[in-house]
Amino acid sequence: MKNETTIFGIRAIIEAVKSGKNIDKVFLQKGTRGELFQELEYLLRSEGISSSYVPVEKLNRLSMGNHQGAIAQISPIEFHDIDDLVLNVIESGNTPLFLLLDQLSDVRNFGAIVRTAECTGVSGIIIQKKGGAPINGDTIKTSAGAIFKIPICKVDHIKDAVYHLQSSGIKVIAATEKADDLLYDISFKDPCAIIMGSEGRGINPSVLKAVDAKAKLPILGEIESLNVSVACGAFLYEAVRQRI
């Protein structure tokens, strides 16, 4: 099994980005200044690479103190191009079933979802470049290695992916409590994609406006929502039930 690779140091990260390394996430030390640091910030923005500003203590834990204010994680997987993936799935003759994750933040939830997606025959997973959980060792472990077996795409914005799928004849269904229909009232037999939202915020309102259908799970207890990976499993297995 592959392991994540970590790069320490501002200049090293700049060179890694310029050489085309698949950078998944960059942690930057809060309050750091200097021309080289500003160059790195500009490069990350221009390349659309996810970054976050963190206390020096977190960087110290990740690097034993030798980081110069910046740490980058190289993704252990290669990401697929959404145009190529959608076309390949359609041409394969299989009924497409895509999964879109709108900025999930917890790596263990992400890994658990990837594992379920692989088990349920999902055609591919689409995530946003910024704002989501990184693909790291915890993701790999929680996915039980499924992260290496299912195509994953990164896009600038989830809404763009929604429009792309719709233009390819794929119905997009949002899993949200802001729905009138239960998931059992929705047909998953035709080419479709399911969107799951982030743990706290759910699906972005602008994305919800663009979908073809919304569906929710019945909640019979007092707690108003399920863990996102559990909810995702319920949706995916309803799609499997209908298609078998």
Side-chain angles (χ1 to χ4, degrees):
M1 178 182 294
K2 301 176 185 177
N3 294 311
E4 64 177 308
T5 300
T6 305
I7 303 174
F8 308 109
I10 298 171
R11 189 175 296 280
I13 296 172
I14 289 174
E15 293 305 320
V17 174
K18 288 182 176 179
S19 67
K21 293 291 185 183
N22 198 3
I23 306 293
D24 193 52
K25 178 91 173 181
V26 179
F27 298 101
L28 303 171
Q29 182 178 327
K30 288 181 179 177
T32 302
R33 297 289 183 267
E35 289 185 9
L36 200 60
F37 190 79
Q38 290 178 341
E39 180 184 343
L40 174 58
E41 289 178 308
Y42 174 78
L43 189 60
L44 296 177
R45 287 194 300 270
S46 63
E47 295 294 328
I49 295 172
S50 178
S51 64
S52 61
Y53 293 88
V54 298
V56 65
E57 290 80 9
K58 177 165 184 174
L59 297 182
N60 289 340
R61 287 196 301 271
L62 292 172
S63 66
M64 303 299 289
N66 182 27
H67 53 73
Q68 298 176 332
I71 294 176
Q73 294 177 336
I74 295 180
S75 174
I77 67 168
E78 292 294 328
F79 293 101
H80 292 247
D81 178 80
I82 187 172
D83 295 334
D84 294 339
L85 177 60
V86 172
L87 183 61
N88 290 340
V89 172
I90 291 172
E91 290 181 344
S92 72
N94 296 321
T95 304
L97 175 60
F98 288 98
L99 181 62
L100 294 88
L101 305 179
D102 189 9
Q103 295 182 300
L104 256 67
S105 59
D106 187 283
V107 294
R108 291 176 180 83
N109 278 338
F110 186 22
I113 285 172
V114 172
R115 183 174 183 175
T116 303
E118 202 281 329
C119 290
T120 52
V122 166
S123 310
I125 297 174
I126 301 167
I127 61 176
Q128 193 162 289
K129 287 180 180 178
K130 290 187 176 181
I135 297 175
N136 58 22
D138 286 332
T139 318
I140 296 170
K141 183 177 180 181
T142 313
S143 78
I147 198 81
F148 302 121
K149 297 180 180 296
I150 187 167
I152 298 180
C153 301
K154 273 191 173 185
V155 295
D156 290 330
H157 302 287
I158 288 294
K159 189 161 62 172
D160 293 338
V162 170
Y163 292 143
H164 181 82
L165 291 168
Q166 289 170 332
S167 68
S168 302
I170 297 169
K171 179 174 67 174
V172 180
I173 302 161
T176 173
E177 70 277 5
K178 300 172 184 175
D180 296 323
D181 295 324
L182 295 177
L183 81 160
Y184 311 117
D185 302 320
I186 301 292
S187 173
F188 296 91
K189 293 181 179 180
D190 296 323
C192 65
I194 299 168
I195 305 181
M196 305 301 301
S198 66
E199 293 85 353
R201 178 179 52 80
I203 298 172
N204 190 296
S206 67
V207 174
L208 277 178
K209 291 178 181 178
V211 302
D212 299 297
K214 303 173 188 175
K216 63 183 178 181
L217 284 162
I219 302 294
L220 306 182
E222 295 182 9
I223 297 175
E224 295 182 354
S225 64
L226 288 167
N227 171 278
V228 64
S229 66
V230 175
C232 186
F235 269 80
L236 290 176
Y237 269 101
E238 174 60 16
V240 170
R241 185 193 70 80
Q242 292 186 19
R243 292 183 177 199
I244 290 178

